[in-house]
């Protein structure tokens, strides 16, 4: 078992049913928690996405483009609350597996400027890790120095934390098992790219989005993760299938997916 901090992003589309609002996939959440527990990896920061809890609301109220009027404040509150509800399901499932998971709301430890993280208060997160706890963050509404507020994706948080904490590795656990030559959900001839270098990211064709995702889908994930890989932190794009895959990826063992590294 390799040592060092692992940052794990759980895609919103694997923990929720993206076709219906506020529908969690509790079975998937439970089996992810079991797999994380069975991996034996304990130096872990988990960040999860919004799926059908965050994105449709954020789109309804135009939250990612920032403050336009006071009627949006209700949307800000509802979106944060929905994310807290999803977070509670994830954290509860981890606790049920005996893992010391603790929620850490991004709205209170990050601010952005023009949608990019400008300031972070990582004291509590570092202290939790030092105690051996497992912080669980998520894509959230945050206050923005220029826009008033915006949506901060779990991907940007995961990339930021990996760099700020000098993580050993980042694992992105998504619905699609890696990065493909085309969008595999649109084109069955798409092939898995097993190895990708940061400078090749711009050439990958990712296809259009079919479900609400205010923070940008696979293209944006690649753009967020390229600087992490360029800094020498390997990023592994993978999915929960087949069983055991995520545990292997967390341990840094060979698994099905795409390795983005220098
Ligand atoms: O699913 C966005 O996080 P993501 C969260 O990681 C919200 O992009 C509130 C839409």
């Amino acid at each position: 078992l390799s040592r060092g901090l692992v940052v794990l992003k759980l895609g919103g589309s694997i923990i929720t049913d993206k076709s219906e609002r506020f529908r969690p996939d509790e079975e998937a959440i439970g089996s992810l928690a079991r797999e994380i527990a069975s991996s034996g990896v304990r130096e872990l920061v988990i960040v999860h996405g919004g799926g059908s809890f965050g994105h449709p609301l954020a789109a309804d109220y135009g939250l990612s483009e920032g403050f336009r009027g006071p009627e949006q404040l209700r949307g800000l509150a509802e979106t944060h609350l929905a994310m807290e509800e999803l977070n509670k399901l994830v954290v509860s499932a981890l606790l049920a597996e005996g893992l010391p998971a603790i929620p850490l709301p991004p709205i209170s430890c990050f601010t952005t400027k023009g949608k990019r993280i400008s300031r972070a208060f990582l004291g509590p997160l570092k202290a939790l890790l030092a105690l051996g706890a497992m912080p669980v963050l998520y894509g959230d509404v945050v206050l923005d120095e220029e826009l008033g507020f915006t949506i901060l994706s779990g991907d940007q948080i995961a990339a930021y934390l990996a760099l700020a904490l000098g993580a050993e590795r980042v694992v992105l656990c998504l619905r699609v098992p890696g990065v493909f030559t085309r969008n595999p959900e649109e084109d069955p001839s798409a092939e898995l790219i097993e190895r990708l270098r940061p400078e090749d990211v711009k050439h990958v064709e990712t296809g259009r989005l079919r479900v609400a995702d205010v923070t940008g889908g696979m293209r944006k994930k690649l753009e967020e993760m390229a600087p992490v890989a360029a800094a020498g932190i390997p990023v592994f794009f993978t999915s929960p299938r087949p069983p055991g895959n995520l545990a292997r990826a967390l341990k840094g063992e060979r698994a099905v997916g795409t390795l983005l590294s220098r």
Side-chain angles (χ1 to χ4, degrees):
L1 189 69
S2 79
R3 293 169 61 86
L5 181 71
V6 180
V7 176
L8 169 65
K9 164 82 197 281
L10 297 175
S13 56
I14 57 170
I15 58 173
T16 70
D17 178 348
K18 266 195 160 179
S19 65
E20 192 150 342
R21 282 190 186 210
F22 311 124
R23 180 175 289 188
D25 187 337
E26 294 198 62
E27 209 178 294
I29 294 171
S31 76
L32 287 165
R34 273 192 297 284
E35 190 129 336
I36 293 165
S38 79
S39 74
V41 173
R42 293 295 175 268
E43 244 181 288
L44 192 62
V45 175
I46 298 176
V47 186
H48 65 77
S52 65
F53 280 70
H55 290 276
L57 268 178
D60 284 354
Y61 287 94
L63 297 184
S64 58
E65 299 318 312
F67 182 76
R68 285 191 311 265
E71 67 287 351
Q72 283 175 301
L73 294 178
R74 186 180 178 88
L76 196 71
E78 284 178 3
T79 305
H80 177 71
L81 199 58
M83 288 309 301
E84 280 200 323
E85 277 163 22
L86 180 58
N87 181 251
K88 194 171 172 181
L89 297 175
V90 174
V91 169
S92 305
L94 293 163
L95 288 174
E97 295 301 323
L99 296 171
I102 316 255
L104 208 59
I107 192 173
S108 51
C109 54
F110 294 103
T111 54
T112 55
K113 187 172 185 178
K115 304 188 186 184
R116 305 300 302 172
I117 294 171
S118 53
R119 286 194 280 174
F121 177 48
L122 300 183
L125 182 123
K126 289 180 182 168
L128 284 170
L129 287 172
L131 292 173
M134 202 175 273
V136 186
L137 298 84
Y138 44 92
D140 200 1
V141 290
V142 293
L143 286 306
D144 188 285
E145 292 174 46
E146 287 167 355
L147 301 167
F149 51 70
T150 192
I151 298 291
L152 175 60
S153 73
D155 299 326
Q156 192 184 148
I157 295 173
Y160 184 92
L161 292 179
L163 289 168
L165 304 171
E168 177 77 26
R169 152 170 76 251
V170 177
V171 175
L172 302 187
C173 190
L174 309 170
R175 191 182 59 226
V176 176
V179 182
F180 284 72
T181 50
R182 290 166 189 286
N183 183 345
E185 296 185 325
E186 286 168 4
D187 186 343
S189 72
E191 283 170 34
L192 178 70
I193 303 171
E194 288 194 0
R195 186 74 167 72
L196 195 57
R197 301 209 178 261
E199 59 271 22
D200 298 329
V201 154
K202 52 184 177 295
H203 304 301
V204 176
E205 203 182 301
T206 47
R208 271 170 299 108
L209 289 170
R210 285 184 309 167
V211 287
D213 190 331
V214 297
T215 52
M218 186 58 93
R219 158 73 25 220
K220 198 77 183 124
K221 288 182 203 303
L222 287 167
E223 284 167 7
E224 293 290 359
M225 295 302 157
V228 177
I233 301 169
V235 180
F236 195 64
F237 289 71
T238 190
S239 85
R241 265 183 299 273
N245 202 52
L246 175 60
R248 281 192 289 279
L250 288 172
K251 286 187 277 191
E253 294 173 4
R254 202 181 160 75
V256 180
T258 300
L259 177 64
L260 170 64
S261 69
R262 197 160 64 182

